[in-house]
Amino acid sequence: MQFTVAIDGPAAAGKGTISRAVAERFGFAHLDTGLLYRAVGMKGGDPVAAARALSEADLARPDLRSLEAGEAASTVAVLPEVRAALLEFQRAFARREGGAVLDGRDIGTVICPGAEVKLFVTASPEIRAERRWREAGAGEYADVLAQVRARDARDMGRADAPLRPAEDAIPLDTSALSIEDAIAAAARLVAARLPTR
Ligand code: C5P
């Protein structure tokens, strides 16, 4: 069975947690596509060459979840040649046998416009900044909020594959939801679209 779940949304909205949980619940493979851009950003040198030569070792770097890697990712992610170099890998992953969940910014719009389920996970910038700030356990809330807003502006304002919901994406606002409730809501939406066996 081929079955693709596309989960898009801004940084710290809960996409990653929801995607991992949905993949586990239904036995699907999961790809955090942000890691691809993070790995390209952290490799240094020419980002287009880095994207074309991305290896397993690049994706296994321990520092890919850092704030620095997130910033580097959103800088290289504006380059159309970088996005083009990463496209086929993501599409092949999406169509693998047994089902796949991909989370990112342009999965429902560009990478997998035919995905069986498209979710657009959001939360207010203040709530997302608060989550990030609590996770980090250090620094100033105001700085984290400024970073969240700057990353949103860069991701939504770029010309190539900007962050926006696909027309047929289902919005899921997690501002007032617990993690458990957000996962349950997403799982219900996926279950409703699974082919009956
Ligand atoms: O989701 P994550 O925070 O790991 O993504 C890091 C950055 O990579 C994003 O801010 C965005 O600029 C870029 N990205 C993208 N398209 C994706 C996934 C991530 O442009 N599908």
Side-chain angles (χ1 to χ4, degrees):
M1 175 194 70
Q2 291 180 330
F3 190 90
T4 308
V5 181
I7 303 190
D8 291 304
K15 300 185 301 291
T17 308
I18 292 172
S19 302
R20 274 190 300 278
V22 164
E24 194 171 325
R25 173 90 51 103
F26 296 98
F28 297 164
H30 171 229
L31 179 64
D32 169 359
T33 64
L35 279 184
L36 304 176
Y37 295 91
R38 286 169 180 261
V40 171
M42 293 301 274
K43 206 164 173 184
D46 173 17
V48 178
R52 289 186 181 143
L54 209 61
S55 69
E56 290 287 330
D58 296 329
L59 292 171
R61 286 175 67 127
D63 56 355
L64 292 186
R65 306 263 174 209
S66 65
L67 268 179
E68 183 198 352
E71 291 299 305
S74 88
T75 306
V76 298
V78 303
L79 303 170
E81 294 93 338
V82 166
R83 308 199 70 84
L86 300 175
L87 188 121
E88 268 320 309
F89 174 78
Q90 295 175 80
R91 284 205 177 141
F93 190 97
R95 300 320 289 168
R96 62 164 55 195
E97 203 45 46
V101 180
L102 285 83
D103 74 87
R105 301 292 186 291
D106 63 339
I107 309 304
T109 51
V110 176
I111 307 294
C112 306
E116 280 74 11
V117 183
K118 296 182 188 177
L119 304 183
F120 196 77
V121 180
T122 57
S124 70
E126 291 77 14
I127 297 266
R128 289 185 284 124
E130 193 182 326
R131 289 177 185 162
R132 272 282 146 93
W133 179 62
R134 287 189 191 286
E135 253 170 37
E140 294 294 326
Y141 169 76
D143 294 341
V144 181
L145 179 59
Q147 267 167 3
V148 164
R149 288 192 194 281
R151 183 109 79 88
D152 283 358
R154 209 180 298 143
D155 288 351
M156 291 174 188
R158 69 183 175 220
D160 191 23
L163 170 64
R164 63 174 176 80
E167 268 175 30
D168 51 350
I170 305 161
L172 180 59
D173 187 333
T174 66
S175 302
L177 295 182
S178 66
I179 293 189
E180 293 75 24
D181 288 348
I183 291 170
R188 269 196 303 276
L189 293 166
V190 172
R193 283 166 181 77
L194 271 181
T196 41
R197 279 174 254 184

